[in-house]
Amino acid sequence: MIANPDAALSPVATTLQCRISLPLGYRQADFLAFHRRDSEEVAERVTPSSLAKGLLWGDSAACLFILFSDAHAQVRLEIDRVCTGHQRLATQLEHRVRLMLGLCQPIEAFERQHGSHAQLGALVRSFAGLRIPVAASPFEALSWAIIGQQISVGAAISIRRRLIRVAGIRHSSGLWCFPQPQQIEALSHDDLRAAGLSAGKVRTFDALCAAIASGELSLDVQGGQAEALGAQLLQIKGIGPWTVNYVLMRGFGWLDGSLHGDVAVRRGLQRLLGLADRPSETQTRTWLSGFSPWRALVAAHLWALDARPEP
């Protein structure tokens, strides 16, 4: 892990770097596809072997670069201000990127346990090595889940893009940065509605950002505290079980959320089991319950199956 020794001499930037070893057969295409959702590349720029992503590091505009090569991920973070404590920051960077890449997920244990399952086994073997990509911050995962409630993916991408732009934070690379709670809280209701958020989602963001600002709610938790955080999030109007389980999965890499209400999960299960009709949420929840503590990872396999063309 290397913090750029020349960063302190720069009046405008700090650069942190690290090199992360990847397991054999790492599925980088899954990770890159997760960040390729917006074709306009407002906040992310993706190639077949790299990601450049605008984000906030603390309260500073930054750009995260990840380049895949030779069973490694080369990581660089460029921050638009001089920072101190480089070693501490570099350690934080490596931890977050490992989480983003899914390297903290014990998928080998899951595959050993369920690779021979009568219903799921063939799917597990077909998508060997599948991990769940994690967002750059828990708040970004939470924001995406709120934005995407009850609308199409295309509409959610458009609203996310407009929200990023109205927040108005741009890195020197040209990429825009996804806002954090204090930037959202500073926006007016008119700004949020102009970005495409419904009145109900504006109220949800208001309540969420106020709880974070007051210290009543903290997103700075470890994976083992995910369920307790989920219970807190459920107290906020507009955040339900699907949103909570999605956030815990995409924000923290928690693998046991039940995504039985997800339409694509239910379609995938219908296809896996060869059912004439799509299973209900209750039926899907019951089927997923047999795979705890891996329910979210099973859901990710069903997503992958749903996305794969029919033979």
Side-chain angles (χ1 to χ4, degrees):
M1 186 184 307
I2 304 169
N4 183 358
D6 296 326
L9 303 178
S10 168
V12 295
T14 297
T15 300
L16 305 171
Q17 299 183 67
C18 63
R19 185 170 184 260
I20 298 175
S21 297
L22 300 173
L24 184 66
Y26 181 79
R27 298 168 61 99
Q28 70 186 50
D30 294 348
F31 174 80
L32 293 170
F34 173 67
H35 291 281
R36 196 185 287 117
R37 289 173 294 187
D38 188 351
S39 61
E40 293 190 18
E41 298 189 327
V42 168
E44 297 89 11
R45 189 176 300 122
V46 180
T47 76
S49 61
S50 69
L51 166 69
K53 177 174 176 59
L55 50 80
L56 284 173
W57 188 263
D59 58 358
S60 301
C63 188
L64 174 65
F65 299 91
I66 301 176
L67 173 65
F68 294 98
S69 63
D70 301 326
H72 290 86
Q74 304 286 348
V75 180
R76 186 172 81 256
L77 183 70
E78 296 183 355
I79 309 170
D80 276 356
R81 72 174 176 89
V82 174
C83 298
T84 60
H86 291 169
Q87 190 60 48
R88 173 181 54 83
L89 294 177
T91 298
Q92 292 173 354
L93 171 64
E94 181 175 5
H95 174 74
R96 189 65 208 180
V97 173
R98 288 182 61 82
L99 191 66
M100 290 173 66
L101 295 171
L103 298 180
C104 304
Q105 299 168 21
I107 63 165
E108 296 82 3
F110 166 76
E111 292 179 351
R112 283 195 303 271
Q113 183 170 345
H114 296 298
S116 300
H117 187 275
Q119 295 173 320
L120 186 66
L123 186 61
V124 171
R125 295 191 298 273
S126 177
F127 292 105
L130 187 147
R131 301 169 188 268
I132 296 175
V134 173
S137 74
F139 185 73
E140 182 171 348
L142 183 50
S143 299
W144 172 257
I146 294 170
I147 290 169
Q149 291 169 351
Q150 299 180 322
I151 61 175
S152 69
V153 172
I157 290 170
S158 178
I159 293 171
R160 175 184 183 269
R161 182 190 309 134
R162 297 201 297 271
L163 181 64
I164 290 170
R165 281 182 163 147
V166 77
I169 307 159
R170 199 172 193 181
H171 183 257
S172 55
S173 65
L175 288 174
W176 296 80
C177 302
F178 195 91
Q180 290 299 304
Q182 56 269 37
Q183 286 79 35
I184 296 293
E185 193 171 33
L187 298 175
S188 69
H189 285 190
D190 287 343
D191 289 332
L192 295 173
R193 293 302 305 275
L197 291 169
S198 67
K201 291 177 182 178
V202 169
R203 289 192 292 271
T204 299
F205 270 112
D206 275 350
L208 173 64
C209 293
I212 293 171
S214 70
E216 177 185 342
L217 178 71
S218 173
L219 300 181
D220 185 19
V221 302
Q222 302 301 313
Q225 302 167 298
E227 288 184 273
L229 173 61
Q232 286 184 281
L233 289 171
L234 283 173
Q235 302 307 308
I236 297 175
K237 187 174 182 180
I239 295 180
W242 180 89
T243 300
V244 165
N245 284 314
Y246 183 89
V247 169
L248 296 184
M249 176 186 68
R250 290 293 194 202
F252 300 92
W254 191 58
L255 300 181
D256 197 30
S258 182
L259 294 164
H260 54 272
D262 189 276
V263 174
V265 168
R266 292 166 56 204
R267 281 198 308 260
L269 183 58
Q270 177 185 5
R271 183 171 168 182
L272 177 69
L273 302 183
L275 302 175
D277 299 312
R278 188 181 305 167
S280 67
E281 291 188 23
T282 300
Q283 291 170 323
T284 305
R285 180 176 57 213
T286 300
W287 188 85
L288 286 171
S289 67
F291 298 98
S292 185
W294 314 100
R295 289 174 294 174
L297 187 54
V298 171
H301 282 75
L302 294 173
W303 276 333
L305 177 61
D306 182 62
R308 188 166 67 183
E310 293 275 3

